[in-house]
Amino acid sequence: MKETPAKPAVKKAVAKKAVARKAATRTAEKTAAARTAVEKAPVKKSATAKKATTKTAAAKTAAKTTAKTSVKKAAPARKPEPRVAMVRRARRINRELAELYPYAHPELDFTNPFELLVATVLSAQTTDLRVNQTTPRLFAACPTPEDMAAIPPEQLEELIRPTGFFRAKAKSLIGLSTALRDRFGGEVPGRLEDLVTLPGVGRKTANVVLGNAFGVPGITVDTHFGRLARRFGWTTAQDAEKVEADVAEIFPKSEWTMLSHRVVFHGRRVCHSRKPACGACPIAPLCPSYGEGETDPEKAKKLLKYELGGQPGQRLKPPADYPGQPARPLAAS
């Protein structure tokens, strides 16, 4: 029997099996690759998710920080206060300040209305202390309006140089001295409407002179008075004349001059502009702005100035009842 014809069929079968093996191998490789991809995919997604989560957390933290900062910067909202309650509280604050500063006084050295007028003009943009250290030489050279009107501008500028802005101030002093000599017989007038016509003299200066040299009540709105009047809730105005008008409606006229001294004293010693000593303030329970400054009593005590802080005052020649030390002359400061 011949078996040769069966060989081609065997070859075909073998070839088919080989093709099948290759196909199976390819399928297995594809399956393995797919599995690998599936296994790796979650890792990639997890890393991306982590980045997204980190960004979200950072954004939330930034938002919280911004919110906290905004809360810090925002001024605390004040509840509306009935006017009657505000007036009662304001007058009580005045009584408390009177007990705290029974020795309150103008902190410029002067012996007559002319010296007070000149010293008040010089006090713009500087301290009363620096004015008091400067005026002894000035008044020795120019004791009267006639003397000051006749002095050469350069000489006057040199005398008042320590007070700053000495050229503009010298021009005002010569102008007002000339006006006093020519229009008022060398005397300082005792009326507001006359005083404000003098060069360099506004309502604040006029009220200082009227209240302390002539006994005419007036409210002196300087930087300290305006700041405290707003902190106490007596006014919301920034304009000095509006502050004066608002405060004048709260207090009797007889209190105006001494009220000015007490508030200015408190502003210089306790209720400072940048960091009020709230924790050492005797009128803190009456103040709607309590908490704007240092509330820790020990830390607040360190912020007190002048006689309350054991330091010299602003006058070289303070009144006899002043409990602190006199200021030192310019050469010794």
Side-chain angles (χ1 to χ4, degrees):
M1 182 181 290
K2 293 182 180 179
E3 295 179 357
T4 306
K7 286 183 181 179
V10 173
K11 285 182 180 180
K12 284 182 182 180
V14 171
K16 281 182 181 181
K17 285 182 181 180
V19 170
R21 284 195 197 101
K22 285 183 181 179
T25 303
R26 286 176 186 170
T27 303
E29 288 175 353
K30 285 182 181 179
T31 304
R35 283 178 183 169
T36 304
V38 170
E39 289 171 358
K40 287 183 178 179
V43 175
K44 287 183 180 177
K45 284 182 183 176
S46 179
T48 305
K50 277 185 180 178
K51 285 182 183 177
T53 304
T54 304
K55 285 183 181 177
T56 306
K60 283 182 180 178
T61 303
K64 283 181 183 177
T65 304
T66 305
K68 283 181 182 177
T69 305
S70 302
V71 170
K72 271 188 179 179
K73 287 183 180 178
R78 293 178 184 171
K79 292 181 180 179
E81 182 181 26
R83 181 167 177 80
V84 173
M86 182 274 289
V87 171
R88 286 176 180 168
R89 182 172 53 77
R91 293 184 178 184
R92 187 175 170 191
I93 286 175
N94 183 36
R95 292 194 296 272
E96 295 284 342
L97 291 177
E99 290 184 13
L100 181 61
Y101 307 111
Y103 51 88
H105 58 269
E107 295 191 271
L108 290 169
D109 286 328
F110 69 98
T111 60
N112 57 55
F114 176 64
E115 288 186 358
L116 179 57
L117 176 61
V118 170
T120 307
V121 170
L122 289 176
S123 69
Q125 304 299 317
T126 191
T127 63
D128 287 356
L129 171 60
R130 184 48 57 94
V131 174
N132 293 334
Q133 292 171 327
T134 303
T135 50
R137 287 179 59 215
L138 174 64
F139 294 143
C142 307
T144 68
E146 292 81 2
D147 295 322
M148 195 166 287
I151 193 173
E154 298 79 11
Q155 186 178 344
L156 181 58
E157 288 174 6
E158 194 57 35
L159 286 169
I160 64 172
R161 182 184 287 270
T163 67
F165 301 95
F166 54 89
R167 290 189 180 89
K169 289 178 180 179
K171 186 177 179 181
S172 293
L173 292 182
I174 290 174
L176 71 84
S177 297
T178 301
L180 291 177
R181 181 194 64 192
D182 298 344
R183 291 166 43 205
F184 297 101
E187 299 292 332
V188 176
R191 300 195 314 159
L192 180 76
E193 50 268 39
D194 293 330
L195 284 168
V196 295
T197 66
L198 301 173
V201 178
R203 286 187 67 89
K204 184 193 87 170
T205 298
N207 280 329
V208 169
V209 174
L210 289 173
N212 298 287
F214 294 99
V216 178
I219 295 173
T220 304
V221 183
D222 66 357
T223 181
H224 303 289
F225 190 98
R227 180 177 71 254
L228 268 65
R230 287 185 287 274
R231 283 180 176 169
F232 291 157
W234 299 350
T235 183
T236 58
Q238 296 290 332
D239 177 72
E241 287 192 31
K242 184 66 171 65
V243 172
E244 181 185 340
D246 289 345
V247 175
E249 291 180 358
I250 300 172
F251 298 93
K253 195 171 184 179
S254 59
E255 287 288 316
W256 288 357
T257 299
M258 287 310 300
L259 171 72
S260 300
H261 292 323
R262 294 164 190 153
V263 172
V264 171
F265 256 56
H266 196 62
R268 285 174 172 166
R269 287 151 178 77
V270 180
C271 197
H272 312 133
S273 176
R274 293 187 180 178
K275 201 169 184 181
C278 294
C281 180
I283 61 169
L286 299 171
C287 182
S289 299
Y290 174 78
E292 285 189 14
E294 180 58 65
T295 56
D296 180 84
E298 293 305 316
K299 292 180 180 178
K301 282 180 184 177
K302 295 177 181 177
L303 299 174
L304 300 177
K305 293 184 179 178
Y306 302 112
E307 73 280 358
L308 295 187
Q311 302 156 5
Q314 298 206 76
R315 293 187 68 166
L316 276 65
K317 298 177 181 178
D321 62 344
Y322 180 66
Q325 310 164 46
R328 293 181 289 270
L330 188 61
S333 63

XYZ file of all heavy atoms in Angstrom, residues 234-269:
298
model
N -18.703 110.812 68.781
C -19.331 112.131 68.852
C -19.567 112.704 67.466
O -20.398 113.585 67.283
C -18.453 113.107 69.633
C -18.201 112.688 71.051
C -18.810 111.673 71.743
C -17.263 113.268 71.953
N -18.314 111.582 73.013
C -17.360 112.548 73.185
C -16.357 114.322 71.867
C -16.580 112.855 74.293
C -15.576 114.625 72.979
C -15.685 113.902 74.180
N -18.823 112.234 66.494
C -18.936 112.718 65.121
C -18.367 111.663 64.182
O -17.610 110.784 64.617
C -18.177 114.048 64.934
O -18.370 114.533 63.587
C -16.678 113.858 65.157
N -18.722 111.773 62.911
C -18.097 110.935 61.877
C -17.344 111.808 60.883
O -16.752 111.302 59.939
C -19.162 110.112 61.128
O -20.128 111.009 60.541
C -19.865 109.135 62.055
N -17.372 113.115 61.112
C -16.784 114.068 60.166
C -15.262 114.053 60.221
O -14.664 113.789 61.268
C -17.311 115.467 60.447
N -14.658 114.363 59.078
C -13.213 114.539 58.989
C -12.843 116.020 58.974
O -11.765 116.407 59.431
C -12.674 113.867 57.717
C -12.857 112.362 57.672
C -11.963 111.630 58.656
O -10.884 112.113 58.995
N -12.406 110.468 59.109
N -13.718 116.840 58.451
C -13.473 118.276 58.376
C -13.506 118.894 59.773
O -14.426 118.647 60.562
C -14.542 118.936 57.495
C -14.374 120.443 57.428
O -13.426 120.909 56.775
O -15.190 121.152 58.064
N -12.498 119.703 60.097
C -12.351 120.247 61.447
C -13.544 121.114 61.859
O -14.019 121.035 63.001
C -11.060 121.049 61.553
N -14.030 121.929 60.948
C -15.155 122.798 61.294
C -16.425 121.992 61.551
O -17.220 122.343 62.423
C -15.387 123.825 60.180
C -14.317 124.908 60.135
C -14.699 126.072 59.241
O -15.907 126.368 59.113
O -13.784 126.680 58.656
N -16.617 120.914 60.794
C -17.794 120.062 61.006
C -17.677 119.329 62.343
O -18.660 119.188 63.080
C -17.919 119.053 59.855
C -19.168 118.180 59.936
C -20.427 119.010 59.763
C -21.688 118.152 59.615
N -22.026 117.374 60.777
N -16.463 118.862 62.675
C -16.237 118.223 63.983
C -16.566 119.211 65.099
O -17.264 118.875 66.069
C -14.779 117.728 64.112
C -14.507 117.252 65.535
C -14.489 116.626 63.116
N -16.073 120.435 64.946
C -16.333 121.479 65.950
C -17.833 121.700 66.135
O -18.341 121.780 67.273
C -15.657 122.788 65.526
C -15.845 123.924 66.508
C -15.267 125.244 66.004
O -14.418 125.223 65.099
O -15.686 126.300 66.532
N -18.561 121.786 65.028
C -20.003 122.022 65.095
C -20.734 120.852 65.750
O -21.633 121.050 66.576
C -20.554 122.277 63.691
N -20.326 119.615 65.388
C -20.979 118.428 65.964
C -20.765 118.346 67.466
O -21.690 118.052 68.238
C -20.445 117.150 65.299
C -20.929 116.993 63.868
O -21.883 117.700 63.479
O -20.347 116.164 63.130
N -19.530 118.603 67.902
C -19.213 118.501 69.334
C -19.862 119.642 70.113
O -20.309 119.460 71.253
C -17.686 118.484 69.546
C -17.339 118.495 71.037
C -17.080 117.254 68.878
N -19.952 120.814 69.489
C -20.560 121.965 70.168
C -22.024 121.719 70.508
O -22.554 122.296 71.471
C -20.428 123.206 69.290
N -22.691 120.852 69.751
C -24.098 120.541 70.009
C -24.275 119.581 71.183
O -25.379 119.432 71.712
C -24.736 119.929 68.752
C -24.885 120.918 67.607
C -25.506 120.273 66.384
O -25.772 119.048 66.428
O -25.747 120.988 65.393
N -23.180 118.913 71.590
C -23.265 117.907 72.658
C -23.002 118.504 74.030
O -23.625 118.103 75.026
C -22.254 116.771 72.382
C -22.565 116.090 71.041
C -22.248 115.746 73.510
C -21.513 115.090 70.605
N -22.073 119.476 74.084
C -21.623 119.988 75.386
C -22.033 121.450 75.574
O -22.070 122.227 74.609
C -20.098 119.886 75.491
C -19.585 118.477 75.406
C -19.193 117.939 74.189
C -19.516 117.678 76.536
C -18.726 116.636 74.097
C -19.043 116.369 76.466
C -18.657 115.847 75.241
N -22.280 121.836 76.818
C -22.577 123.253 77.081
C -21.356 124.118 76.766
O -20.212 123.681 76.890
C -22.910 123.280 78.574
C -22.331 122.020 79.138
C -22.352 121.013 78.037
N -21.615 125.336 76.350
C -20.549 126.242 75.915
C -19.496 126.453 77.002
O -18.302 126.589 76.705
C -21.160 127.584 75.511
C -20.242 128.481 74.718
C -20.994 129.682 74.183
C -20.080 130.545 73.305
N -20.828 131.713 72.757
N -19.908 126.440 78.238
C -18.980 126.685 79.343
C -17.904 125.604 79.458
O -16.859 125.819 80.077
C -19.747 126.773 80.670
O -20.466 125.558 80.902
N -18.142 124.442 78.842
C -17.199 123.323 78.922
C -16.226 123.267 77.738
O -15.276 122.485 77.768
C -17.973 121.995 78.978
C -18.666 121.732 80.296
C -17.668 121.402 81.402
O -16.733 120.624 81.168
O -17.834 121.942 82.507
N -16.459 124.048 76.714
C -15.736 123.880 75.462
C -14.209 123.961 75.609
O -13.487 123.110 75.081
C -16.198 124.923 74.443
C -17.571 124.664 73.904
C -18.392 123.595 74.188
C -18.298 125.508 73.009
N -19.582 123.712 73.517
C -19.562 124.877 72.779
C -18.035 126.716 72.372
C -20.526 125.436 71.940
C -18.991 127.277 71.533
C -20.221 126.652 71.324
N -13.715 124.977 76.278
C -12.262 125.158 76.361
C -11.596 124.040 77.156
O -10.613 123.441 76.698
C -11.917 126.519 77.003
O -12.456 127.562 76.192
C -10.408 126.710 77.110
N -12.138 123.728 78.329
C -11.527 122.671 79.139
C -11.743 121.291 78.519
O -10.873 120.417 78.638
C -12.086 122.704 80.564
C -11.578 123.875 81.392
S -9.769 124.054 81.369
C -9.237 122.498 82.047
N -12.870 121.085 77.874
C -13.089 119.825 77.155
C -11.975 119.620 76.133
O -11.424 118.513 76.002
C -14.446 119.842 76.444
C -14.703 118.690 75.480
C -14.942 117.383 76.230
C -15.900 119.008 74.565
N -11.633 120.683 75.412
C -10.560 120.592 74.408
C -9.253 120.152 75.050
O -8.557 119.269 74.540
C -10.379 121.947 73.713
O -11.568 122.345 73.055
N -8.893 120.762 76.170
C -7.648 120.398 76.849
C -7.660 118.942 77.302
O -6.682 118.213 77.129
C -7.413 121.306 78.072
C -7.117 122.723 77.717
N -6.372 123.085 76.624
C -7.483 123.896 78.334
C -6.267 124.406 76.563
N -6.939 124.916 77.582
N -8.774 118.516 77.891
C -8.852 117.145 78.413
C -8.741 116.114 77.300
O -8.011 115.113 77.428
C -10.170 116.958 79.164
C -10.284 117.788 80.428
C -11.720 117.862 80.913
N -11.890 118.838 81.979
C -13.025 119.473 82.237
N -14.105 119.221 81.514
N -13.085 120.346 83.213
N -9.455 116.346 76.212
C -9.429 115.383 75.098
C -8.040 115.338 74.465
O -7.510 114.256 74.167
C -10.503 115.736 74.053
C -10.349 114.867 72.807
C -11.908 115.556 74.640
N -7.414 116.496 74.279
C -6.064 116.539 73.700
C -5.061 115.862 74.636
O -4.189 115.103 74.194
C -5.641 117.986 73.393
C -4.169 118.049 72.999
C -6.505 118.568 72.274
N -5.197 116.123 75.940
C -4.326 115.453 76.910
C -4.452 113.939 76.781
O -3.452 113.214 76.749
C -4.709 115.875 78.341
C -3.764 116.859 78.961
C -3.481 118.062 78.333
C -3.157 116.608 80.180
C -2.610 118.977 78.897
C -2.282 117.513 80.751
C -2.006 118.700 80.115
N -5.677 113.455 76.711
C -5.904 112.007 76.640
C -5.367 111.438 75.325
O -4.808 110.337 75.302
C -7.393 111.720 76.774
C -7.696 110.285 77.085
N -7.261 109.661 78.229
C -8.381 109.338 76.378
C -7.667 108.401 78.235
N -8.342 108.181 77.118
N -5.518 112.182 74.245
C -5.021 111.722 72.950
C -3.509 111.615 72.916
O -2.954 110.716 72.275
N -2.831 112.528 73.604
C -1.372 112.512 73.609
C -0.794 111.469 74.568
O 0.290 110.945 74.343
C -0.838 113.898 74.000
C -0.967 114.924 72.888
C -0.559 116.297 73.359
N -0.504 117.239 72.226
C -0.438 118.555 72.352
N -0.424 119.100 73.558
N -0.385 119.322 71.282
N -1.513 111.177 75.615
C -0.974 110.311 76.657
C -1.439 108.863 76.573
O -0.690 107.947 76.897
C -1.347 110.906 78.030
C -0.544 112.137 78.350
C -1.284 113.107 79.259
N -0.424 114.248 79.572
C -0.177 115.258 78.728
N -0.728 115.268 77.528
N 0.630 116.252 79.073
